Amino acid sequence: MADNLRVLFLSHYFPPEGNAPATRVYAFCRRWVRRQKDPCDVTVITCAPNVPDGKVYPGYRNRLSSREEIDGIDVIRVWTYLAANAGTVKRIMNFISFMLAASVRAMFLRRPDVVIGTSPQFFNGWAGVIVSRLRRAPFILEIRDIWPESIVAVGAMRPGRLVRFLEWLELRMYAAADHVVTVGEGYRRQLLEKHVPAERMTVITNGIDTERLQPREPDADLQRRFNPDGRFVCSYVGTVGMAAGLEVVIRAATVLKERGRHDVRFLIVGDGATREELEKRVHEAEHDDMITLTGRQPKEAISAFLSISDCCLVHLRKTGLFETVLPSKIFEAAAMERPVVMGVGGFAADLVRDAGCGICIEPENEIQLVDAIVQLQADPHLRRQLGRQGRESLVARYDVDRLSEEYLSLIRQVRSDWLDRRCRPFNVSIHS
């Protein structure tokens, strides 16, 4: 009997971290190892869980190498220079140290059939390039973010020689991949502009994990803790970082107070590089009574927080680059039948309009944000309608079970094509 397909997945993030990259990798890998027919042997190389503040989670240590099994997935954690999700130099040191450690550790594993490296930081992609070359295996590069363009867009780096060098490395990484998977059509189009061949790209989006997220009654304990007076709750659930542009929430709270509306509560669930600064600004604006920041929460608590939300804010700063993204927050809200207030333009806004699952606003526009909240608050029927339409439409198109099978089929095809190229005989002409 043939051995199971061996997949080596390199990911800077993995559970118990609860950000979008960790969730995506875990969702797919868990399904590949538990297939009843032709299951895969999946190994994930990652680091000690530490995002967003660079502090190792309880129960873990930043050791040279450690190993555990999570739902059938062989998880190897390597030593990494840890840094908070802020600052440029330390973050790059964090990325490079993981690239080196992961590449070395992969040399002591059984040879994989396929290597996958996922962004958003592309040094992880370069780890995939290195490992695939040293272990002689095909390489699939997964693009969740156009890096370094995205960090320039949020102001974390300024254009200059370093950025130009990183952009050169970016193009070399694309060229080194046997295949590129993007998580949205917008990214695919951007890579086409960077001359990545269309035939070497496939779009496999994030999706809805119906096992983890189901409509449910509001969590009574969270209601008592975070909304004891029964206000209308607009929640943002995700990374509180530079890209999120959550200053708009503070300005929206000001507008609501000016209108005499004290019956709305903003709930910001998560942590990130700008959380402390945002908390400071909320306090300075005297909006502690309207805006609550919960800090980092375990991934398994997300459905409970969504259950006490009347609508969900999905928001990014107003920049052309973010019009190509497809935030996973859309799918989480839709799975829980919660209407979306969409503060992202481009492909994400088109998706929400097509699915009929929310109200689209201009990013960073506090007046439109307030108007959308007031409209949803005044019309419970509209909220229920948008929630039902979202789940019905998006589950049909973005179910993780189906997406994981599409991804696995692609992996097998890339492996097969790679073997065909290696086994192709040389054409030798002998002239008399």
Side-chain angles (χ1 to χ4, degrees), residues 35 74 258 327 383 399 416:
R35 299 175 83 246
D74 182 20
E258 290 173 350
R383 296 201 303 271
D399 181 71
S416 176

Side-chain angles (χ1 to χ4, degrees), residues 17-47:
E17 293 169 327
N19 57 12
T23 300
R24 174 184 171 92
V25 173
Y26 168 72
F28 285 137
C29 291
R30 181 166 62 93
R31 284 164 172 79
W32 295 339
V33 300
R34 71 178 189 182
R35 299 175 83 246
Q36 291 186 352
K37 182 179 180 182
D38 298 325
C40 301
D41 293 332
V42 180
T43 298
V44 173
I45 297 183
T46 186
C47 54

